[in-house]
Structure formats: structure tokens, C-alpha cells
Amino acid sequence: MTVVIPARNEARNLAEVLPRLPQVHEVVVVDGNSVDGTVETVRRVMPAARIVTQTRRGKGNALACGFAEATGDIIVMFDADGSADPEEIARFVAVLTEGADVAKGSRVMPGGGSEDITVLRGLGNRALTWFTNRLFRTRYSDLCYGYNAFWRDVLPSLALPSPHPAGDVMRWGDGFEIETVLNCRVAVAGLTVREVPSVELSRIHGVSNLSAVRDGLRVLRTILTERTSARQNRAIARAVQAAPHVIPDLVPVPRPHHEPVPAGAALDEATV
């Protein structure tokens, strides 16, 4: 399993987050040209972690860079600010090993919750989730939540933004819209999704840059754009699933067989 952590100026948070991660095959920290000693902190706290420098700007590009470097069978999207609970990783792995393609965190399922979301953001998330479910015929309960995990072999079907070419010009999916893009394309590709109850913790240090209105409008635009391009994305997904060689850069890696992992089990290289 590879835990991918996008980080920009998160030195203080990573100093507390990294030691709490379970033992896994690989941790990839994608640095967004931090100036607060983020890279030095990672090297000090977790010398075995791989550090990747993102090629453009935005969380989406950081995740794409991390996905491209991942070598584990399972990829876990993990925030650097301390809002994701490392102890929940076992839940996501258990859902995947039981047969799901994607394990999607949900703060609104029984057992989930949030220490951070405001009333306005909660209402907006509910409305955007309903709208997405209507357009894509999904059953998501929490669209705007980025704690997710999936088998690495589904990446080609999603045709997420490539980390290349490098530069200052952002591409579609490079920003915070990546999480909505991913959820929409998972639906278009017909992948099996199971939601996992998750508690969103408060950021440890610093202040969030989220804006309920601005980011809500961005998510709405993303949903509409992805719906418009659904036919094209579905064609890509089917081409990859039927003949991976059609798109050489998106050849999937065969999924290994794993025995189901109990939700409370420890994780190590033998299981993931």
C-alpha cells in the first residue's frame, strides 16, 4: 500500500502526522515547493518516506504526481494537515480487500462525523452530493471529502490529469476539484464503490484556505463539466479495460489477491 500525502508548507503538521501512520509498504509525500522546511521535516521524522516535487500547482497535480510514483497495490489519499485519522486506514483496506474498487470516506454515515465542517459547508456538501447522484446515478453520501483509497489498477480507467508536462500553467483537475473529478470518473467507469464511515478531525496547525462559496461553485462547475465529458471519459475507460495497450501510458498493473483485512488489524507489507 502507498499512502500519498500532498503537502505545501505543512512542516509542523507532518511532524505530528507521519509518526502516527501505520507501517505500510510506502509513504509518498508530494511537496508543493514549500518554504517552511516541509522537506527537511519529512526527512527527519520519516527518513524512509519518498519525497516527490510536484510538477505544476494545485492539490490535484500533487496527487497526480504521487499516484504516478506509487508502487503499492493500494493507494490511500491522505491529507497532511492532521484532519485524516491514520487509524481509519485499516477500514479502507478492509473494504477494498472485500471486493470494492474504491473505498470512499463518508462523514455522514453512522460512525462518521466532522470536527471541522461548518453549517454552511455542510448544507452545500449535501446539495452538491444530491446533484451529483442525480446526474451520475450514484449513491454517494458525502461528495466533498478527500479521504479515499483505491486499487492502483483502476487509475488507467480514470484518465486523471498527467503530472506532465511540468510548468506554471494549470490543467483541468490540477486544483481542489480533483476530488470531485475522481468521484465523477469513478462513476462513469462503473467501478464498485463502498463508503467507509470516517471522522474528519480538526487541522492541527495553521488555517484552512477553504471557502464555502468559492469552493462550492468550483465543485458545481466541476460536476457540470464532468457530466458534459462523461461520454469521452467512458470511452477511455472502456478502451483501457478492453485493451490496455490502446493507451500505452495508462497500462494497468494486475491486482494481487489478498485475504480480507479485519477493520482493526495492523497493516504491514505482507498484507498490503
Side-chain angles (χ1 to χ4, degrees):
M1 176 175 62
T2 299
V3 178
V4 175
I5 308 177
R8 184 173 185 272
N9 297 327
E10 296 283 7
R12 289 199 298 165
N13 288 325
L14 286 172
E16 299 188 39
V17 168
L18 292 177
R20 296 174 54 208
L21 290 175
Q23 182 179 355
V24 296
H25 166 68
E26 178 181 54
V27 175
V28 175
V29 178
V30 186
D31 177 57
N33 298 303
S34 300
V35 296
D36 69 339
T38 288
V39 171
E40 292 75 14
T41 297
V42 174
R43 288 174 176 161
R44 173 175 56 83
V45 175
M46 184 177 281
R50 295 177 59 197
I51 301 173
V52 176
T53 301
Q54 69 177 99
T55 54
R56 294 188 293 274
R57 293 179 291 118
K59 183 178 183 179
N61 174 250
L63 286 171
C65 291
F67 296 164
E69 294 292 328
T71 61
D73 304 323
I74 290 172
I75 295 177
V76 178
M77 299 164 53
F78 198 87
D79 285 343
D81 60 7
S83 60
D85 185 352
E87 294 185 3
E88 293 181 354
I89 291 178
R91 295 185 190 173
F92 289 84
V93 174
V95 164
L96 294 173
T97 56
E98 288 168 2
D101 296 312
V102 178
K104 180 171 175 15
S106 172
R107 296 164 293 184
V108 302
M109 290 180 68
S114 176
E115 299 176 357
D116 181 64
I117 195 168
T118 63
V119 173
L120 181 59
R121 284 175 52 209
L123 291 173
N125 181 39
R126 184 179 302 177
L128 291 166
T129 300
W130 176 86
F131 188 52
T132 299
N133 287 338
R134 289 295 299 270
L135 288 184
F136 290 89
R137 298 181 180 179
T138 51
R139 295 183 178 179
Y140 296 140
S141 66
D142 188 0
L143 178 71
C144 304
Y145 190 45
Y147 199 174
N148 304 303
F150 50 86
W151 290 99
R152 183 162 59 100
D153 66 2
V154 308
L155 276 173
S157 299
L158 303 180
L160 297 177
S162 169
H164 304 293
D168 296 327
V169 179
M170 295 180 68
R171 301 176 61 183
W172 177 248
D174 276 356
F176 275 100
E177 70 271 10
I178 184 62
E179 291 158 1
T180 304
V181 168
L182 188 149
N183 290 328
C184 292
R185 295 191 183 179
V186 162
V188 169
L191 300 178
T192 302
V193 181
R194 279 190 56 191
E195 292 192 316
V196 178
S198 176
V199 177
E200 180 184 33
L201 306 174
S202 298
R203 165 183 276 271
I204 301 174
H205 301 289
V207 179
S208 173
N209 292 321
L210 291 176
S211 167
V213 176
R214 180 196 64 206
D215 294 327
L217 291 174
R218 178 187 292 184
V219 171
L220 177 59
R221 172 174 173 258
T222 301
I223 295 168
L224 294 172
T225 301
E226 287 297 309
R227 184 65 184 86
T228 301
S229 59
R231 181 175 297 179
Q232 175 184 350
N233 293 333
R234 185 177 293 109
I236 293 174
R238 289 176 176 171
V240 172
Q241 292 165 359
H245 63 277
V246 172
I247 307 178
D249 292 338
L250 298 177
V251 177
V253 178
R255 184 180 303 182
H257 171 73
H258 289 305
E259 294 299 324
V261 179
L267 304 176
D268 55 33
E269 294 185 27
T271 57
V272 294

